[in-house]
Amino acid sequence: MFCQATYAQVDSNQILPQITVRDIKPEQIGYSNWRADSLPIIFLRSASDQLASENPISIRTNGLGTLATVSARGMGPSHTPVFWNGINLQSPMNGVVDAALLPIWPGDQLEIRYGGQSAVQSSGAMGGSVMVASDWLQHPGFFGNLGASLGSFGKQEALATVGYGAASWRSMLRADWQQAKNNYPFKNTAKYDFPTEYRENNHLEKHDFQQFNDITLNAENRLKTGWWNQAADREIPQPITAAPKESRQQDRSNKAFVLWEHNKNARSLLQTKIAWFDEWIAYRLSGDADTSKSRSVILSSEYNVKTTKYLSFRTGGTATAQWAQADGYADSASWYRQRRLAGFASAVYQFSHGQLSGLLRQEWAEGQAAPFTWSLAGNFKLPLGNQLRFHCSRNFNMPTFNDRFWNKWGRPDLLPEYGYSTDCSWSMIQKSFRAEITAYNILIDNWILWQPGSDGIFRPGNLKKVWSRGLESMLGLDGQRGRWIFHAQLRYQYTKTTNIAVYNNASSILGKQLLYVPKHTGAAFFRLERGPFSCIYTHQWTGSRFVTTDNDKRLSAYQTGNFSCKIKIPLRKKRSCDLDVNLTNCWNTHFQFFEYQPLPGRAFQVGAAFLW
């Protein structure tokens, strides 16, 4: 969970391991990032739940199990892509990722990389990116686990993993099933005297299957494969101001990839990956059903080479084909298509006290113009454990299929959003103390916004220019007293995101904070460990958010606390039984992120798992 520079060595007298090309990727230079180190060791959690409990990044959600999106540095959800094992999960139809459906398994790595990254990651990465990397099968021999849990509001879960690891190949299969009624009590702020009521039409049932293989073909070649199948059936609760209606959404998806690595020597690496996505969504409201389908094929290849002690290069390209079909498009029976090509080249210069990187990227998109992008970044080590980082880049975001092809109201002539991003960070790392502060600035022009016209019908348009700027800070402390080990961290973020130009004469919103973007957020994290026992407390504070474009009305700030306690009971022959207790929203806070969409109060989950 501690935010560190990508090179962790601060002592010039320390003996370092041999540097390979894997350690000098340009996307690791200059960025401020956060890595979770308190991921669940027993049960699966959604990315939205994990981030909401530990990191002050903006999670926009209507409630338990419902659509949740991630927004970094005041940007929109389409400006914060989510990657699963290096593959962009953004929907080609609406440009967002439902973080409530993204599972974080025991052993997975969760990371946020802040700042504009279009030159590295392509379209959409303007405020930051979220990355999930699956556990790459580090266990020798047979291994697995089997567990179950129960929780508040009818939550039930069962999880199983089985795998085998040998010297030249490893394989793993894991499955999870969840069900919840989510009928939690809430205070109805839309009624007189705020009566307590219960959430209706909020049932969830979901299953996930994932299978991974890691095969070492010979000394130079390695093959990795991954497959993820998901099915979710969710009821969608209405705002508490609306009359109850029967509404539900069904999601079905298959995702798969194959990665080939050719590592001829320690100075070069060739990676080629092909990925395939197939997604289907059906939304039903009072008996009427709307369906949508999307498919994507992504082929990417990159070559890394370290030419001298100080200089390395990286070049590659990506070809993407996307198809979409939806009842809401002009021709609901046709598959709409777009093909994209991208080429990039980068260089990294390493010297005794830091690194510098530069990257250029050009894309071509069928039927659209894609801007030329670039980035420049650096890391610098200073005396006494101090470090400086900077990063600046040009970024862009392409219109989605919905923006372009929605029946009657879509606009094929929409321009890409584009802009610039700059970051500057200072950090200090001592034996037990860490501190960091980052200042950032993001400018986006041609912001695409769906808004109603004089007839009340929503239409998309390149309607404004947005400026986001702010500060991020972190303090961390580690310590040990006897056999007790503790970790503590405090984080605070200030974000000011305003309209600085409007192209439809709506001058009343100039200089106003964007909707649902809190100016102030903070988090505190405390972990205590002793042998097989550990407990964690996280506290999140979210400032007030405006709910009208003229900033005349706002939702109140709120705080939530979460507590988790785990114990591992060793058994014979490298087996163990893990017990887990989680308490979310400990202080039973009544709050809403979106107006008239109440979130749950205090809830618990208890479970046990057998591991071997």
Side-chain angles (χ1 to χ4, degrees):
M1 180 170 177
F2 297 105
C3 186
Q4 304 179 26
T6 53
Y7 56 97
Q9 295 80 15
V10 296
D11 184 353
S12 59
N13 296 320
Q14 186 174 354
I15 299 175
L16 304 179
Q18 181 182 7
I19 295 176
T20 69
V21 71
R22 293 180 178 85
D23 300 319
I24 52 177
K25 289 187 176 183
E27 64 264 30
Q28 298 175 340
I29 298 175
Y31 289 105
S32 172
N33 59 359
W34 171 91
R35 295 183 182 91
D37 71 349
S38 62
L39 292 177
I41 59 172
I42 299 180
F43 295 103
L44 177 149
R45 293 187 73 183
S46 69
S48 58
D49 288 346
Q50 191 66 44
L51 291 171
S53 66
E54 289 192 40
N55 188 283
I57 195 171
S58 179
I59 303 295
R60 305 181 181 189
T61 180
N62 292 335
L64 280 176
T66 60
L67 174 68
T69 59
V70 182
S71 302
R73 292 183 169 176
M75 298 289 95
S78 63
H79 305 134
T80 311
V82 178
F83 293 83
W84 174 68
N85 293 304
I87 303 169
N88 193 340
L89 297 181
Q90 282 180 297
S91 166
M93 304 188 74
N94 59 20
V96 302
V97 177
D98 189 348
L101 295 181
L102 178 61
I104 307 296
W105 298 73
D108 284 358
Q109 298 175 0
L110 176 63
E111 176 183 349
I112 300 174
R113 187 174 296 154
Y114 293 96
Q117 301 158 50
S118 293
V120 175
Q121 308 285 17
S122 184
S123 171
M126 305 182 83
S129 60
V130 178
M131 301 179 183
V132 176
S134 301
D135 178 15
W136 275 114
L137 318 170
Q138 300 300 318
H139 310 282
F142 284 102
F143 63 92
N145 66 24
L146 183 66
S149 71
L150 297 172
S152 300
F153 319 128
K155 184 172 183 179
Q156 304 174 54
E157 180 179 6
L159 176 147
T161 299
V162 63
Y164 180 78
S168 60
W169 66 276
R170 300 182 176 106
S171 185
M172 176 174 67
L173 173 66
R174 54 191 187 183
D176 180 85
W177 169 83
Q178 294 182 3
Q179 177 178 279
K181 294 180 180 179
N182 290 330
N183 54 344
Y184 51 86
F186 67 94
K187 289 185 177 181
N188 193 331
T189 56
K191 293 183 178 180
Y192 175 74
D193 206 25
F194 300 167
T196 297
E197 298 181 358
Y198 287 84
R199 206 69 164 126
E200 298 178 0
N201 195 62
N202 202 20
H203 181 268
L204 161 71
E205 185 167 2
K206 179 174 75 76
H207 76 245
D208 291 272
F209 295 98
Q210 292 188 356
Q211 202 280 325
F212 298 97
N213 299 290
D214 187 349
I215 305 170
T216 301
L217 303 175
N218 51 46
E220 298 180 357
N221 296 282
R222 187 177 182 182
L223 195 67
K224 295 181 179 180
T225 68
W227 167 70
W228 173 18
N229 170 269
Q230 182 180 77
D233 191 348
R234 298 178 289 177
E235 293 178 326
I236 309 297
Q238 299 294 310
I240 57 178
T241 53
K245 294 181 180 179
E246 182 182 354
S247 59
R248 61 187 295 192
Q249 179 173 310
Q250 294 175 296
D251 296 77
R252 304 287 186 270
S253 67
N254 275 287
K255 301 176 177 68
F257 69 87
V258 178
L259 170 65
W260 170 56
E261 292 183 351
H262 178 66
N263 197 183
K264 189 172 184 178
N265 52 55
R267 291 181 172 269
S268 67
L269 175 65
L270 174 66
Q271 292 180 308
T272 300
K273 178 186 291 183
I274 184 169
W276 169 74
F277 291 177
D278 188 354
E279 299 176 285
W280 174 86
I281 297 174
Y283 177 73
R284 293 177 170 83
L285 177 63
S286 300
D288 294 329
D290 288 314
T291 62
S292 61
K293 305 174 186 177
S294 65
R295 295 169 183 166
S296 299
V297 176
I298 305 169
L299 175 63
S300 63
S301 185
E302 64 178 57
Y303 179 67
N304 298 263
V305 60
K306 188 172 179 66
T307 56
T308 70
K309 179 180 178 181
Y310 304 103
L311 194 61
S312 62
F313 294 93
R314 179 185 180 211
T315 185
T318 302
T320 303
Q322 297 175 324
W323 299 266
Q325 182 187 66
D327 290 343
Y329 290 175
D331 184 353
S332 60
S334 296
W335 284 89
Y336 290 77
R337 182 188 67 188
Q338 184 179 72
R339 290 173 291 202
R340 296 184 185 180
L341 293 173
F344 67 88
S346 66
V348 175
Y349 177 69
Q350 293 197 140
F351 49 97
S352 58
H353 295 290
Q355 301 163 319
L356 288 171
S357 75
L359 192 149
L360 305 175
R361 185 186 190 97
Q362 179 63 64
E363 296 208 17
W364 298 265
E366 185 177 11
Q368 293 179 284
F372 171 77
T373 57
W374 52 266
S375 70
L376 181 66
N379 294 338
F380 304 96
K381 293 185 289 186
L382 303 176
L384 302 177
N386 291 279
Q387 304 173 14
L388 290 178
R389 290 194 306 271
F390 80 90
H391 183 270
C392 54
S393 61
R394 187 172 194 244
N395 306 289
F396 74 101
N397 186 36
M398 302 293 286
T400 65
F401 279 44
N402 288 1
D403 294 332
R404 301 174 63 208
F405 304 127
W406 201 259
N407 187 23
K408 297 181 181 179
W409 319 126
R411 289 185 51 186
D413 61 340
L414 282 173
L415 299 173
E417 301 170 328
Y418 72 92
Y420 299 88
S421 169
T422 56
D423 294 69
C424 186
S425 300
W426 165 84
S427 64
M428 180 178 66
I429 304 176
Q430 300 292 344
K431 289 183 179 180
S432 60
F433 178 74
R434 298 170 175 84
E436 180 171 354
I437 186 167
T438 300
Y440 65 87
N441 186 81
I442 303 172
L443 188 66
I444 299 181
D445 203 355
N446 286 335
W447 186 290
I448 297 173
L449 181 68
W450 285 73
Q451 71 172 18
S454 58
D455 56 3
I457 297 176
F458 281 77
R459 298 176 176 86
N462 297 110
L463 296 179
K464 58 186 181 179
K465 180 185 290 187
V466 174
W467 180 24
S468 179
R469 59 277 195 200
L471 293 171
E472 297 164 346
S473 61
M474 182 276 296
L475 294 174
L477 182 66
D478 302 334
Q480 183 170 356
R481 187 176 181 86
R483 296 174 60 187
W484 290 96
I485 302 172
F486 75 88
H487 309 271
Q489 187 180 106
L490 299 175
R491 299 179 69 89
Y492 166 76
Q493 180 172 313
Y494 171 77
T495 301
K496 189 173 183 179
T497 306
T498 56
N499 303 295
I500 60 173
V502 184
Y503 305 138
N504 60 351
N505 298 318
S507 58
S508 63
I509 69 173
L510 281 176
K512 305 297 184 179
Q513 183 85 349
L514 264 59
L515 297 181
Y516 294 106
V517 176
K519 287 187 178 180
H520 306 279
T521 55
F525 168 85
F526 305 95
R527 187 175 70 195
L528 188 65
E529 302 175 50
R530 179 174 177 173
F533 170 82
S534 67
C535 63
I536 301 166
Y537 177 77
T538 59
H539 196 90
Q540 286 274 60
W541 175 70
T542 301
S544 60
R545 289 129 291 130
F546 293 107
V547 297
T548 56
T549 56
D550 58 8
N551 289 182
D552 282 347
K553 185 179 180 181
R554 70 177 72 193
L555 289 176
S556 300
Y558 63 86
Q559 302 181 55
T560 59
N562 302 281
F563 177 77
S564 176
C565 180
K566 303 178 178 68
I567 186 168
K568 181 182 288 291
I569 303 173
L571 303 175
R572 294 181 178 180
K573 298 181 179 180
K574 298 182 180 180
R575 300 171 183 174
S576 67
C577 180
D578 290 4
L579 304 178
D580 176 273
V581 178
N582 288 283
L583 189 64
T584 58
N585 196 358
C586 300
W587 314 114
N588 202 33
T589 302
H590 295 276
F591 65 104
Q592 302 171 10
F593 188 90
F594 289 113
E595 190 175 24
Y596 302 125
Q597 294 282 7
L599 292 167
R602 186 184 298 114
F604 73 91
Q605 181 180 3
V606 295
F610 174 66
L611 291 80
W612 69 91

